[in-house]
Amino acid sequence: MSQPTIIPVTSSSTEEPPSKKQKRPKPKNSKRAFVIDVVYSQPADTGTGQNTNTQLVYVVTYLKDHGNPMRLQELAIVTDTPLLSDQNLLEKFKAHDRIVYDPKTDLYSYKHDYTFKTKAALLTEIQRHTRNGGGLSVRSLKESWKEAPQAIEELEKEGEILVTRTVKDGQMRLVFWNEVKPTEESGGMSVEQEFQDLWRLLVVPEDADLLKSLASEGLQATAAEALIPKPPVAKKKGKKTAPRQRQSRITNVHLKGDIDLTKDYVAPTASSK
């Protein structure tokens, strides 16, 4: 009987034994990795809430942004608010000063500051406010009519209005009616760029050299108007009242009749003795 052949098993020289301190790889779907990847930048949308005033603000804001009149049933469904079931919310909604109800159409709408919907009506509104000494806010105009910013830019190019903008980003702020139309007869046209560049190149001299510069051009500095000092305010003359004399109180009652205590004491002289 032949003996079995024993073949020795040797490890490859390229393989290394695993390190005892080798860390285990973290699972990709671990709970810790999930918490790190989530960024809590903003709170989640929790709906309109349960508070009546919060729901009222939500409904009024939606009707304001929507622009068109809506039925009460449609508004309750779109905003997901209990307008039909909560009597307190419904009464506050109907009593809101910005909510307008049309009984003929059974529609509710938001009452904006202005009711214009055309470019010509916008210009008329701007003219009316400018004559009263003030301009109109572009933000309020946009809330009343979404196409107001585009119409304002067109009116500005036509020279009908003047627009003030922010220094930082150039956003439109206020609009005014341009009373002086940009025509060659009445003026109001923009100055040519050549003259604008020349104006910016002018440098105002220092205070010490200003008088010399004026004298070289045959000019003279104007003196500031001296302020006239105001005379002192005279006190009103009134009737002078005599000082009130305080009555002295006699305490030495046993000397009454012999010595007058209200008068100063005078020592008797030798001749009077």
Side-chain angles (χ1 to χ4, degrees):
M1 185 174 181
S2 60
Q3 296 181 354
T5 303
I6 299 174
I7 301 174
V9 179
T10 59
S11 60
S12 177
S13 60
T14 58
E15 295 181 359
E16 296 180 0
S19 177
K20 296 181 179 180
K21 296 183 179 181
Q22 186 177 2
K23 295 182 180 180
R24 294 181 180 179
K26 295 180 180 179
K28 295 183 179 179
N29 297 329
S30 65
K31 183 177 179 182
R32 183 178 180 184
F34 175 75
V35 174
I36 294 175
D37 294 338
V38 176
V39 179
Y40 298 95
S41 58
Q42 292 182 356
D45 187 5
T46 57
T48 58
Q50 301 297 328
N51 186 272
T52 304
N53 294 330
T54 305
Q55 294 173 348
L56 177 64
V57 172
Y58 187 82
V59 173
V60 173
T61 304
Y62 181 85
L63 194 59
K64 172 185 176 182
D65 298 337
H66 184 69
N68 298 326
M70 300 179 62
R71 296 185 182 278
L72 191 64
Q73 295 79 0
E74 180 184 1
L75 187 60
I77 294 173
V78 173
T79 58
D80 193 19
T81 52
L83 269 175
L84 302 177
S85 58
D86 192 342
Q87 188 65 25
N88 186 23
L89 176 61
L90 181 60
E91 291 178 358
K92 288 186 176 182
F93 175 74
K94 292 182 177 180
H96 199 278
D97 56 348
R98 287 288 184 174
I99 299 302
V100 180
Y101 174 68
D102 188 359
K104 295 181 180 180
T105 59
D106 193 24
L107 296 176
Y108 291 87
S109 59
Y110 183 85
K111 182 181 178 182
H112 293 278
D113 294 333
Y114 311 101
T115 57
F116 56 82
K117 297 297 179 183
T118 61
K119 179 179 173 181
L122 171 62
L123 180 59
T124 303
E125 194 71 28
I126 296 174
Q127 290 175 351
R128 184 173 65 86
H129 278 264
T130 304
R131 289 193 181 99
N132 294 334
L136 285 176
S137 172
V138 177
R139 182 178 180 181
S140 61
L141 296 176
K142 183 180 179 181
E143 291 179 354
S144 302
W145 187 34
K146 293 183 179 180
E147 300 179 4
Q150 181 180 355
I152 290 173
E153 292 179 354
E154 294 177 359
L155 290 172
E156 184 184 17
K157 292 179 181 178
E158 297 171 3
E160 295 291 341
I161 61 174
L162 301 174
V163 183
T164 61
R165 288 178 167 82
T166 57
V167 180
K168 184 177 181 180
D169 49 5
Q171 296 293 329
M172 295 185 296
R173 292 184 58 190
L174 297 173
V175 292
F176 300 85
W177 177 49
N178 186 12
E179 300 182 10
V180 181
K181 297 298 182 291
T183 58
E184 295 182 359
E185 292 78 9
S186 60
M189 300 182 66
S190 59
V191 181
E192 297 180 2
Q193 188 65 33
E194 179 183 0
F195 295 99
Q196 294 184 18
D197 297 338
L198 292 173
W199 175 263
R200 294 188 181 95
L201 292 175
L202 293 176
V203 180
V204 179
E206 299 293 336
D207 295 341
D209 301 332
L210 185 58
L211 296 177
K212 296 180 181 179
S213 300
L214 291 174
S216 63
E217 298 293 336
L219 301 175
Q220 185 178 1
T222 58
E225 183 179 357
L227 297 177
I228 302 176
K230 296 181 179 180
V233 181
K235 296 183 179 179
K236 296 182 179 180
K237 296 182 179 180
K239 295 182 179 179
K240 294 183 179 181
T241 57
R244 185 177 178 182
Q245 295 182 356
R246 186 175 180 181
Q247 296 181 355
S248 59
R249 183 180 178 183
I250 300 175
T251 55
N252 297 332
V253 194
H254 61 283
L255 298 177
K256 188 176 181 181
D258 299 334
I259 301 175
D260 190 359
L261 298 177
T262 60
K263 295 181 180 181
D264 296 337
Y265 173 76
V266 179
T269 58
S271 59
S272 59
K273 291 181 179 180

